[in-house]
């Protein structure tokens, strides 16, 4: 018997790969999925009406790279290909990504040609950043913040106005704390081994491509041929976890909702007992934990305080989400993906997504304002009211986008500790955690966004990797 802890995308994908690799059926294993709330999907939640969809968590998925293609393979296998809505390179949401800085919206460069032009808020054409990299000596380091790395190699403006807002958009974090390996592992390795990014890039041109082989589905191949930028799911992103949930149910996985696990007792290398809030005990041979690292820390702290401490040391941030719908005939925005606000601007908002441009079948204008993240407590304190976040969001979009209409519908949510922060030393900490589990022979595998990447693709790929590791 095996149990999956948590029914977010990480837990559901673990179930999918256990079934697909016949680990459950071949061994006549019974599989449980234990989820604390009354639904599966974790942070993926879509509110749907005939006029709009409010996505409270993720809304778009990237198709690129091995992890992106792997997700598309899964989507086709689940029969969801028809629901996929790609954003191709000529779509405004692909071409128009902006930042709000120095009291103005600025379009970020989206082509090689734009590297040679001076684009505000940058004071020089971006090509100069590459010259800076060639001139800079390298610095030998184990890890560094992504901000320090980019400032050293490409200059302060790129760190402040390109990379810092990008980090806000991906993990609502502070680039001055996030590890360079989170997004720029290869560039950092080039600096460490070849003395600079440009030098490393030139050498890499002569090296054979060592990408892992992955058999591509028709959908994955189409995404490559048509050069999709991102994609979304018609009818709401929650269709994805719902379909996975049904797939698991149809394959006899015992899904127990409203089952919050409060303690894990490791009996021996093949026996583990999960105790839930109602006092029930589930005994299994192996656990796949997909719950956030800080939640898992509480469950193992009695028997393994050292492991619990390392799990707790992975920080998380809280994000405020304000979805807004304006029932107007004419769109209130210029077509674009949206804009991000660099932390140097000290704004209460992280950015705004123009949902009515990215998500199909919406009437009127739909926007999502994201607030707080790494700065949530500093800006809003410990018990901010949702009405305060709403007022701030409406005031900011009125001043930045000149929208003076009152929203016809809205939804405000505070997502407590929703995104892990891969701060300097994160990857070494995760290695240490997994080594501890190996050394102590604990029958547990770690999946989910706390360890191997914070996005949807990463979580799915992490589930696949951990499941395959256990069957070899
Ligand atoms: C606001 C926001 C926007 C995002 N946007 C994007 C995006 O556009 N694109 C993208 O690729 N990614 C995005 N992400 C990231 C993406 O949502 C995550 O990678 C993914 O949802 C994480 O899934 P998970 O299963 O690891 O964790 P979770 O979704 O956190 O699931 C964990 C589950 O475990 C359950 N649980 C916790 N403790 C217990 C317990 N003790 N017992 C039983 N069950 C428990 C929880 O109830 C939950 O259902 C976004 C995230 C957020 C928060």
């Amino acid at each position: 018997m095996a149990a999956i802890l948590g029914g977010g995308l990480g837990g559901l994908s673990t179930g999918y790969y256990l079934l697909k690799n016949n680990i459950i059926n071949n061994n006549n294993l019974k599989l449980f999925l234990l989820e604390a709330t009354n639904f599966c999907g974790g942070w993926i939640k879509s509110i749907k009406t005939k006029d709009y969809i409010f996505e409270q968590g993720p809304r778009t998925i990237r198709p690129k790279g091995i992890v992106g293609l792997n997700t598309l393979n899964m989507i086709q296998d689940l029969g969801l290909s028809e629901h996929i809505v790609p954003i191709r390179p000529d779509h405004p949401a692909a071409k128009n990504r902006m930042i709000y800085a120095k009291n103005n919206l600025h379009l970020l460069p989206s082509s090689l040609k734009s590297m040679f032009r001076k684009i505000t808020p940058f004071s020089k054409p971006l090509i100069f950043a590459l010259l800076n990299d060639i001139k800079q000596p390298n610095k030998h380091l184990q890890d560094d913040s992504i901000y320090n790395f980019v400032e050293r190699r490409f200059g302060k403006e790129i760190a402040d106005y390109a990379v810092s807002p990008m980090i806000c958009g991906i993990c609502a974090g502070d680039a001055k704390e996030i590890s360079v390996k989170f997004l720029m592992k290869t560039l950092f390795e080039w600096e460490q081994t070849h003395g600079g990014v440009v030098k490393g890039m030139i050498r890499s041109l002569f090296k054979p491509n060592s990408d892992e082989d992955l058999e591509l589905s028709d959908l994955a191949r189409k995404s490559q041929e048509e050069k999709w930028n991102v994609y979304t799911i018609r009818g709401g992103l929650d269709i994805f976890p719902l379909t996975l949930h049904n797939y698991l149910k149809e394959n006899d996985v015992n899904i127990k909702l409203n089952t919050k696990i409060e303690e894990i007792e490791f009996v021996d290398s093949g026996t583990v007992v999960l105790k839930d809030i109602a006092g029930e005990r589930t005994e299994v041979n192996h656990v796949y934990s997909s719950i956030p690292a800080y939640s898992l820390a509480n469950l193992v702290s009695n028997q393994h305080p050292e492991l619990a401490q390392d799990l707790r040391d992975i920080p998380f941030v809280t994000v405020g989400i304000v979805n807004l719908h304006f029932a107007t005939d004419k769109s209130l925005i210029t077509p674009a993906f949206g804009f991000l606000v660099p932390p140097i601007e000290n704004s209460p908002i992280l950015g705004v997504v123009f949902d009515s441009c990215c998500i199909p079948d919406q009437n009127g204008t739909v926007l999502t304002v994201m607030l707080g993240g790494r700065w949530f407590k500093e800006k809003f304190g410990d018990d901010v009211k949702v009405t305060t976040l709403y007022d701030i969001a409406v005031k900011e979009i009125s001043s930045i986008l000149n929208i003076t209409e009152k929203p016809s519908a809205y939804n405000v949510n505070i997502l407590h500790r929703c995104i892990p922060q891969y701060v300097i030393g994160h990857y070494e900490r995760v290695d240490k955690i997994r080594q501890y589990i190996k050394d102590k022979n604990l029958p547990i595998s770690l999946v989910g966004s706390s360890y191997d990447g914070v996005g949807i693709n990463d979580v799915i790929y992490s589930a696949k990797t951990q499941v395959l590791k256990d069957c070899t």
Side-chain angles (χ1 to χ4, degrees), residues 8 18 85 125 157 185 251 253 278 286 316 320 377 409 421 435 456:
L18 284 168
V85 185
E157 276 189 351
K185 186 166 180 268
N251 285 281
V253 176
H286 196 91
F316 278 66
K377 196 170 168 183
Q421 303 291 288
Q435 192 57 47
I456 285 176

Side-chain angles (χ1 to χ4, degrees), residues 181-346:
K181 298 177 194 171
F182 176 59
L183 274 193
M184 299 186 175
K185 186 166 180 268
T186 308
L187 306 198
F188 181 60
E189 282 167 4
W190 284 345
E191 180 197 48
Q192 295 302 305
T193 3
H194 304 301
V197 174
V198 175
K199 287 177 196 157
M201 191 164 55
I202 293 167
R203 289 199 192 204
S204 77
L205 295 176
F206 301 102
K207 272 200 175 157
N209 194 344
S210 59
D211 267 0
E212 189 193 317
D213 267 349
L214 181 75
E215 209 174 302
L216 297 187
S217 60
D218 292 344
L219 189 66
R221 218 167 294 119
K222 190 169 169 204
S223 79
Q224 288 187 319
E225 283 157 16
E226 297 181 356
K227 299 190 167 56
W228 296 359
N229 186 272
V230 288
Y231 62 93
T232 183
I233 298 185
R234 175 164 274 124
L237 209 72
D238 67 351
I239 289 181
F240 192 6
L242 264 168
T243 309
L244 271 167
H245 182 172
N246 289 339
Y247 174 77
L248 265 54
K249 251 182 19 197
E250 282 157 18
N251 285 281
D252 298 327
V253 176
N254 188 345
I255 300 177
K256 291 185 169 183
L257 300 177
N258 301 308
T259 304
K260 183 171 186 207
I261 299 302
E262 294 216 303
E263 198 183 342
I264 297 180
E265 187 194 334
F266 295 101
V267 179
D268 56 43
S269 62
T271 319
V272 51
V273 179
L274 303 161
K275 300 175 194 169
D276 72 29
I277 198 163
E280 266 197 47
R281 296 158 63 89
T282 308
E283 187 175 308
V284 292
N285 308 109
H286 196 91
V287 180
Y288 293 88
S289 171
S290 76
I291 64 177
Y294 60 82
S295 298
L296 180 62
N298 295 337
L299 310 192
V300 299
S301 62
N302 277 349
Q303 280 184 314
H304 296 282
E306 191 190 325
L307 174 63
Q309 191 50 52
D310 280 325
L311 290 165
R312 271 192 200 107
D313 284 344
I314 299 174
F316 278 66
V317 296
T318 296
V319 177
I321 299 284
V322 181
N323 305 104
L324 302 165
H325 174 248
F326 301 88
T328 51
D329 291 337
K330 259 180 60 190
S331 173
L332 301 177
I333 45 163
T334 316
F337 189 86
F339 66 87
L340 290 163
V341 187
I344 198 171
E345 295 292 315
N346 202 16

Side-chain angles (χ1 to χ4, degrees), residues 5-188:
L5 198 45
L9 210 55
L12 293 167
S13 308
T14 305
Y16 170 88
Y17 286 114
L18 284 168
L19 291 165
K20 282 286 157 190
N21 289 285
N22 281 324
I23 296 171
I24 297 304
N25 297 340
N26 278 359
N27 302 319
N28 264 333
L29 278 180
K30 182 132 192 63
L31 180 62
F32 294 92
L33 187 149
L34 310 168
E35 163 56 44
T37 65
N38 61 358
F39 75 102
C40 281
W43 293 117
I44 303 179
K45 279 189 208 155
S46 321
I47 298 175
K48 305 167 198 189
T49 73
K50 69 176 183 25
D51 287 326
Y52 58 82
I53 293 176
F54 284 164
E55 292 290 3
Q56 301 179 69
R59 67 210 58 236
T60 49
I61 309 178
R62 287 181 64 79
K64 301 212 174 85
I66 193 111
V67 292
L69 295 166
N70 178 65
T71 302
L72 286 165
N73 282 356
M74 180 198 254
I75 286 177
Q76 172 163 329
D77 186 54
L78 291 169
L80 283 176
S81 302
E82 297 301 309
H83 291 260
I84 296 305
V85 185
I87 293 178
R88 298 187 175 85
D90 56 348
H91 192 284
K95 288 193 295 187
N96 304 337
R97 288 175 182 254
M98 298 179 283
I99 59 163
Y100 181 73
K102 302 177 180 171
N103 297 321
N104 270 310
L105 284 170
H106 307 267
L107 212 52
L108 287 171
S110 62
S111 67
L112 195 61
K113 229 167 55 191
S114 48
M115 296 275 294
F116 294 89
R117 286 200 311 261
K118 179 171 136 8
I119 293 172
T120 58
F122 303 100
S123 59
K124 286 187 260 183
L126 293 182
I127 192 76
F128 280 92
L130 297 183
L131 298 179
N132 190 70
D133 171 64
I134 293 166
K135 284 191 297 192
Q136 286 304 312
N138 73 338
K139 198 170 168 187
H140 285 288
L141 295 165
Q142 288 297 314
D143 198 352
D144 200 358
S145 76
I146 193 159
Y147 185 96
N148 276 352
F149 171 77
V150 171
E151 185 186 26
R152 174 167 74 245
R153 303 285 4 143
F154 306 120
K156 183 166 162 44
E157 276 189 351
I158 308 274
D160 281 330
Y161 294 111
V163 170
S164 295
M166 187 160 74
I167 291 292
C168 286
I170 297 172
C171 68
D174 184 349
K176 291 183 175 163
E177 296 172 353
I178 301 294
S179 165
V180 60
K181 298 177 194 171
F182 176 59
L183 274 193
M184 299 186 175
K185 186 166 180 268
T186 308
L187 306 198
F188 181 60

